[in-house]
Amino acid sequence: MTENQLWKNRRYCAELTEKDYNQTVHCCGWIDTIRDHGQLLFMHLRDKSGVVQLVFDPEKDKDLHAQAEQLRNEYCVSISGTIVERVGEAKNDALPTGHLEIHVQSLSVYSSSKTPPFVLTEKSQVDDDSSEFKVDEDLRLKYRYLDLRRTSMQEKMIARYKIMKVIRDYLDEQGFIDVETPVLTKSTPEGARDYLVPSRHHDNTFYALPQSPQMFKQLLMVSGFDKYYQIVKCFRDEDLRPNRQPEFTQLDLEASFIDEAYIYNLLEPLVKKVFAVVGKEISAPFPHITYHDAMELYGNDHPDLRFDMKMVDVSEKLRNVNYKIFNSILASGGSIKGINVKGKASEMSKNMLQEELAKKVVPSFGGKGMSWMKMENGALNSNVVQFFSEDEQKALIESFNAEDGDVLLFIADSNKAVVNDVCGRLRLYVAEKWGFIDKNKIAPCWVTDFPMFELKDGRLSSMHHPFTQPDHAFSSASSTDDYLAVNSRAYDLVINGEEVGGGSIRIHDSEIQTKIFSVLGLSKTDIQEKFGFFVNALQFGTPPHGGLALGMDRLVAMATDSDSIREVIAFPKNRVAFCPLTQAPSHVSDEQLTELKLACIKEEVSITD
RNA sequence: GGGGGCGUAGUUCAGCUGGUUAGAAUGCUUGCCUGUCACGCAGGAGGUCGAGGGUUCGAGUCCCUUCGUCCCCGCCA
């Protein structure tokens, strides 16, 4: 057979089955492991499907065996041979193809390989699938093409592709079309910092890479496309965090003549389908929680609903308490909240509660302290319980529904926002450390009724973005306090305590849009200069519309149980936005800079005191 | 921008209050081994202890500077 014919008939290693017994097959791939018994020589051959065992027997073909002895890990080869059923002890149940092997008849080496900088085979994970891949991430990124050759990374990339495909198919069924929007676009002042691209044709001007296609997708609604989506790269030049990348992928969508309910009904099946790709089930409809309730009950706007443990406000119950710290905090207008750590009294020692939680953990969250009580033999017990009257103790037991073995943890502060924040963080810390989180559970929810504005450095700023439609209170609002009381028609999709997406019903009235900009402190000239094209567009018969964007990297990471979004991006940047593989970003030549009429400011050595 | 951790063999790590020739596992390599599958057995090679400076009779270890990286907070409409 010619090489060409061989390739046509190529089989994937892990797709061989009992139906192939005694057939001659041809496979291509990489040498995964070698077990040399002096005479008999076993190897695993790996391709994108998995591995299959090769056998070289010197009694059958001495020359071939000698040739095979020269093979090393990661050599790229092709083989032809006979599929043979393994017998008795020789079967390996840990491997999908463990019941067969290939008795090789011919071998050709496409290319040899240097010893790789880290071991690529995942043979050890046959026994222990919990063992994570412990190699420095920068080294993995430097040799990402090898890292991606590993079975688990291939599975993640394939899962990502399948998820994207499921989404495209579903949105197609729903009447959405994919429209591309520019990558070189206009810098906008609101929001995150832009990545800038200098223009060679227009001196001293810059394009910006899009933080999202926000305005373009709204313009597509003005154009009458009715339902748009795009799986698109977005760019934000913000400081990095473990689950953040300078460039990331969003599912961006927008639809006309719709309301919030349409978005919820569209997205819930979509999210279900995404998790179904990896065999995970979610129940719908997703619960809704208002921003206010999320803050009060969970301490943040992205509540983790995989476990209950709601925060309880006991300020009123303790209005006249003798416990001095609580009393003075309440007198200064603060509040007291607590959580009930069910059934952990025996695991949370007094020493741990006071020395670890109260003195180290809570202060690291920004809290001044923590009080605790244990429920034992039907009564509260702690170092401070004597300062609480019988009625107050009874009220606490009722408020928390406390039973024997429970531990109550209290956070008090004169600043109510601090109480929510610290108590919310404590809730997550305790849940993580004492095993309240069911890692197999997927708990989505919609967070709704966000405030339209928030105060930043004493000025009004959009909480979501300035194109979000405010509720009715906006039309009569005039003072800063009025504006802060206005809610928006924004919604966030939160899964397992992570915000995976958000969107809103948009403004389709140019006058309201202009008023929003002016409330945000933009002058008429600013508006015209920054958003003129957009405000103009709204004057030509804009349909009511709204949409949403989903962070696909996070969603795929969650679906594939990956710790970081870097695990589900083929070629990510590291934590400091550097690419160890390509060494980007890099310096450019003076010629390139001159062409762009740019000059680099050299780092100045400051001697000033 | 603020705070913290880490940097020792190709890889993952240990190395105590500073004290001979810096260790382990794994990988690599050589030899032996016919049913292994994380094969086994015996041997070998492999280190400017991130870089620079300082303290000391003596520094992987202590101090300063610097570079790299990871984590927390700010930031991310």
Side-chain angles (χ1 to χ4, degrees), chain A residues 584-596:
Chain A
S586 57
H587 293 286
V588 296
S589 69
D590 288 343
E591 286 74 22
Q592 283 173 291
L593 289 175
T594 309
E595 238 179 7
L596 296 165

Side-chain angles (χ1 to χ4, degrees), chain A residues 55 68 90 137 145 160 189 258 260 333 338 346 472 502 514 520 557 594 599:
Chain A
V55 186
E137 200 178 14
Y145 44 91
R160 182 181 177 119
I258 54 117
E260 289 89 338
S346 57
H472 300 299
T514 306
L520 293 173
T594 309

Side-chain angles (χ1 to χ4, degrees), chain A residues 553-572:
Chain A
D553 305 301
R554 285 186 186 195
L555 198 58
V556 175
M558 204 176 280
T560 57
D561 299 316
S562 306
D563 292 334
S564 151
I565 62 171
R566 281 172 257 149
E567 292 293 299
V568 296
I569 298 172
F571 297 101

Side-chain angles (χ1 to χ4, degrees), chain A residues 360-378:
Chain A
K360 287 182 187 153
V361 176
V362 166
S364 78
F365 295 154
K368 294 186 182 69
M370 184 196 84
S371 300
W372 57 271
M373 294 178 189
K374 287 184 178 181
M375 187 73 177
E376 287 165 338
N377 303 320

Side-chain angles (χ1 to χ4, degrees), chain A residues 317 380 389-400:
Chain A
K317 305 268 160 67
L380 290 171
S389 72
E390 249 174 59
D391 282 350
E392 284 162 347
Q393 294 186 34
K394 213 175 142 192
L396 287 177
I397 292 170
E398 271 175 25
S399 300
F400 288 98

Side-chain angles (χ1 to χ4, degrees), chain A residues 2-211:
Chain A
T2 66
E3 181 109 313
N4 198 317
Q5 283 167 317
L6 281 175
W7 280 349
K8 261 191 209 159
N9 297 326
R10 175 163 74 104
R11 301 291 302 277
Y12 287 104
C13 298
E15 289 171 5
L16 298 168
T17 66
E18 54 274 6
K19 287 180 190 149
D20 300 304
Y21 286 165
N22 306 315
Q23 301 290 308
T24 301
V25 298
H26 177 64
C27 292
C28 297
W30 289 264
I31 301 299
D32 186 75
T33 49
I34 301 170
R35 292 178 293 279
D36 187 350
H37 286 242
Q39 298 292 308
L40 268 188
L41 174 56
F42 299 98
M43 290 184 190
H44 281 171
L45 183 67
R46 171 183 4 98
D47 63 21
K48 74 162 184 181
S49 67
V51 297
V52 69
Q53 176 161 281
L54 309 180
V55 186
F56 295 91
D57 187 342
E59 282 184 6
K60 290 188 176 140
D61 189 334
K62 205 173 176 201
D63 289 344
L64 181 66
H65 180 266
Q67 197 191 346
E69 276 190 312
Q70 301 305 309
L71 294 175
R72 293 293 179 269
N73 287 336
E74 301 312 323
Y75 278 29
C76 182
V77 302
S78 85
I79 59 100
S80 293
T82 311
I83 305 292
V84 176
E85 181 177 11
R86 298 201 214 174
V87 287
E89 295 275 298
K91 282 192 197 294
N92 181 358
D93 294 334
L95 228 54
T97 56
H99 57 93
L100 59 78
E101 62 197 6
I102 302 179
H103 288 203
V104 180
Q105 281 146 5
S106 73
L107 160 73
S108 70
V109 177
Y110 289 127
S111 55
S112 62
S113 171
K114 291 168 71 174
T115 301
F118 45 81
V119 177
L120 303 189
T121 180
E122 298 188 343
K123 59 187 176 184
S124 61
Q125 293 185 8
V126 170
D127 282 348
D128 180 12
D129 59 5
S130 68
S131 70
E132 52 181 317
F133 187 60
K134 281 179 70 183
V135 173
D136 182 70
E137 200 178 14
D138 254 35
L139 190 71
R140 290 174 58 196
L141 293 181
K142 183 176 176 185
Y143 296 95
R144 190 59 158 182
Y145 44 91
L146 294 180
D147 192 35
L148 291 172
R149 199 183 277 174
R150 293 164 48 230
T151 303
S152 57
M153 291 304 281
Q154 299 230 329
E155 284 168 355
K156 285 180 184 186
M157 291 304 135
I158 292 166
R160 182 181 177 119
Y161 165 72
K162 285 184 174 164
I163 286 169
M164 298 300 184
K165 181 168 183 337
V166 155
I167 289 173
R168 289 186 189 279
D169 290 347
Y170 172 70
L171 290 175
D172 181 68
E173 284 164 22
Q174 300 297 316
F176 282 75
I177 62 159
D178 179 347
V179 180
E180 291 169 83
T181 52
V183 170
L184 295 177
T185 182
K186 188 180 170 69
S187 178
T188 52
E190 293 278 319
R193 272 184 282 269
D194 286 321
Y195 275 98
L196 296 177
V197 180
S199 162
R200 183 171 62 84
H201 293 108
H202 306 279
D203 291 354
N204 306 315
T205 61
F206 296 83
Y207 301 100
L209 304 182
Q211 296 173 22

